[in-house]
Amino acid sequence: MEFKQLTGVAPEILRAVEEMGFTAMTEVQEKAIPVMMSGREIIAKAPTGTGKTCAFGIPLVQRARADAPWIQSVVLCPTRELCTQIVDELRALSKYREGIRVAAVYGGQAMRPQIEALKRNPQIVVATPGRLLDHMKHRTIRVDKVSTVVLDEADEMLDMGFFKDVRRILDSLPKKEQMVMFSATISREVMDIGWLYQRDAEEITVRPVEESRPRITQYCCCTTGRKRFEDLVAILKKEDLDRVLVFCNTKYNTAMICDMLTRQGIPAQCIHGDMIQKDRNRVMAKFKEGGIPVMVATDVAARGIDVTDIDAVINYDFPGDNETYVHRIGRTARARKEGISYLFYSADERARLKNLIRYTRFEISPVAVTEEGAIVPAEGL
């Protein structure tokens, strides 16, 4: 189904969607938009990269009243990176809807600019839970007329220790007309929030069938020590990749690998939790624009980067758990494009790799990098 077939959506929004390069709806959009437009509550389980922001963004922008200068909708999300991504997309959707304003509220940035943005009377606020509570405590935000609440990446947000914060926020809001949750998994915490705060919610599931599963060709490479970095360089040079995301487990490794790549003549920048928000935003914007071919990141970026044309994801360090691996490689092959992922592992991590393959049921092909830098098939695990 194409966006132009949607009923009840303003032509200005459809024009903005077309400018954003979208024509056909994804499964979650086709299922969720009409339900949310009708005013019903939703609990949606959908894989990463399936277009969830537009799924709730279009109804939010459609229902926003320009003549009502107060906050009508709140979107809660787990990270500041995701917060800014959502705001960018909502602003793009509301480009031709005069008088509709969207504000971002997140930690790591001074309160003053956010207070100034809130004084401009936005109809939609996108926030991380901790910073929203700060504004509520200091009475720099009014949420007494909020009618719609969206929890995006609900499982991640609640798993990060925000369960009590989310409950405090929901308890502080007036009687809501609509609460919507989007989540990659339906965890115990997600179910608890649904039982406590939703009424007869429509359950939507987008299964990872072949049509909707990201088309990612996955490789694993047994390598360690100095050769691991040499293999990384070989892959970056041989595979003719325009935009690559390299994941490390620690801030130290992230900065070190970024510096070593730069010394090898490979333009790279990094992003991690110790960077101030201004610098993180600058690097993220440059990466989105194509000005940085290689981004080295910790998992702080796994849920925040929403770039549709990342060619490959390279797991330089073995991820901490299976879910993290899925979230990492989900940064490529978005918007129905194809992608590649590489997973580096050492010999003593072979058991973890086998467990990962059993858990995900992914086909991960072993490869090796020769001394000449060629990437060749390797023996099985």
Side-chain angles (χ1 to χ4, degrees):
M1 182 176 175
E2 296 189 350
F3 282 101
K4 63 184 179 182
Q5 296 175 266
L6 282 170
T7 57
V9 177
E12 296 89 350
I13 298 176
L14 295 177
R15 178 185 174 191
V17 169
E18 185 178 359
E19 280 195 9
M20 293 166 73
F22 303 139
T23 53
M25 286 188 282
T26 64
E27 184 180 351
V28 70
Q29 291 164 354
E30 191 168 339
K31 288 181 174 180
I33 291 174
V35 177
M36 193 169 171
M37 292 275 288
S38 73
R40 288 200 62 188
E41 300 192 325
I42 294 172
I43 179 166
K45 177 184 176 183
T48 57
T50 51
K52 289 178 280 185
T53 305
C54 263
F56 64 76
I58 288 175
L60 288 184
V61 173
Q62 173 64 38
R63 296 173 64 183
R65 291 174 48 201
D67 63 341
W70 55 75
I71 299 170
Q72 301 160 30
S73 301
V74 170
V75 180
L76 293 176
C77 59
T79 67
R80 43 197 165 186
E81 284 76 24
L82 184 55
C83 183
T84 57
Q85 296 282 352
I86 294 171
V87 167
D88 288 345
E89 195 152 341
L90 292 180
R91 285 175 177 163
L93 287 171
S94 58
K95 180 179 179 179
Y96 298 108
R97 293 217 65 202
E98 190 175 348
I100 301 301
R101 293 171 293 278
V102 184
V105 168
Y106 53 85
Q109 182 189 50
M111 293 277 281
R112 178 53 54 187
Q114 297 176 6
I115 292 172
E116 293 301 318
L118 293 170
K119 285 181 178 178
R120 291 192 282 272
N121 299 319
Q123 290 86 1
I124 304 171
V125 167
V126 185
T128 53
R131 178 51 64 93
L132 180 58
L133 283 173
D134 286 343
H135 280 283
M136 291 168 65
K137 178 182 177 181
H138 291 92
R139 299 184 179 181
T140 50
I141 192 169
R142 291 189 62 178
V143 293
D144 56 312
K145 295 183 179 179
V146 170
S147 59
T148 302
V149 180
V150 176
L151 271 58
D152 191 26
E153 303 288 10
D155 54 343
E156 180 78 359
M157 182 162 53
L158 299 173
D159 188 52
M160 287 171 64
F162 287 129
F163 185 83
K164 290 183 179 179
D165 287 349
V166 170
R167 285 207 60 185
R168 286 175 62 193
I169 292 167
L170 295 176
D171 288 339
S172 300
L173 296 176
K175 186 174 174 17
K176 299 169 294 298
E177 295 178 9
Q178 187 179 42
M179 179 177 152
V180 174
M181 287 198 289
F182 288 83
S183 188
T185 61
I186 306 300
S187 64
R188 174 83 255 173
E189 292 81 6
V190 172
M191 286 191 291
D192 287 347
I193 292 293
W195 289 336
L196 288 168
Y197 297 99
Q198 289 186 311
R199 307 177 310 277
D200 192 27
E202 178 85 9
E203 295 185 14
I204 293 173
T205 300
V206 177
R207 301 185 184 280
V209 294
E210 288 306 314
E211 293 78 37
S212 61
R213 182 190 294 271
R215 291 174 290 179
I216 305 171
T217 304
Q218 300 174 57
Y219 299 105
C220 59
C221 180
C222 186
T223 181
T224 190
R226 178 71 189 180
K227 187 166 189 313
R228 178 169 293 200
F229 179 75
E230 294 170 355
D231 291 349
L232 172 64
V233 172
I235 290 170
L236 292 174
K237 289 184 175 180
K238 293 286 183 179
E239 288 291 339
D240 191 29
L241 304 168
D242 293 325
R243 196 173 312 190
V244 182
L245 187 54
V246 179
F247 277 109
C248 297
N249 289 347
T250 65
K251 301 166 189 174
Y252 175 80
N253 264 11
T254 300
M256 180 183 68
I257 297 303
C258 181
D259 181 63
M260 291 170 66
L261 287 173
T262 304
R263 292 173 186 269
Q264 288 285 326
I266 299 174
Q269 290 200 28
C270 65
I271 182 170
H272 54 72
D274 278 353
M275 295 172 63
I276 64 173
Q277 191 61 37
K278 180 180 177 181
D279 290 341
R280 289 167 68 171
N281 289 346
R282 175 182 52 79
V283 173
M284 194 78 75
K286 197 171 180 181
F287 185 61
K288 285 188 69 173
E289 293 165 2
I292 305 171
V294 180
M295 168 96 83
V296 189
T298 56
D299 287 304
V300 72
R303 290 279 186 160
I305 295 179
D306 187 15
V307 181
T308 57
D309 51 359
I310 294 177
D311 297 317
V313 169
I314 300 176
N315 287 275
Y316 191 84
D317 292 327
F318 203 99
D321 54 59
N322 297 333
E323 283 288 340
T324 298
Y325 175 77
V326 175
H327 294 320
R328 284 181 177 183
I329 69 169
R331 299 306 97 193
T332 187
R334 297 174 79 86
R336 300 184 178 180
K337 296 185 179 182
E338 297 183 8
I340 302 171
S341 76
Y342 287 90
L343 171 60
F344 289 170
Y345 70 101
S346 58
D348 59 0
E349 290 170 329
R350 187 170 279 110
R352 293 179 63 191
L353 176 58
K354 290 181 179 179
N355 175 268
L356 172 66
I357 293 171
R358 283 196 303 270
Y359 171 81
T360 60
R361 299 181 183 177
F362 290 155
E363 182 178 333
I364 306 178
S365 304
V367 294
V369 180
T370 67
E371 291 184 3
E372 294 75 26
I375 303 165
V376 297
E379 294 183 6
L381 300 177

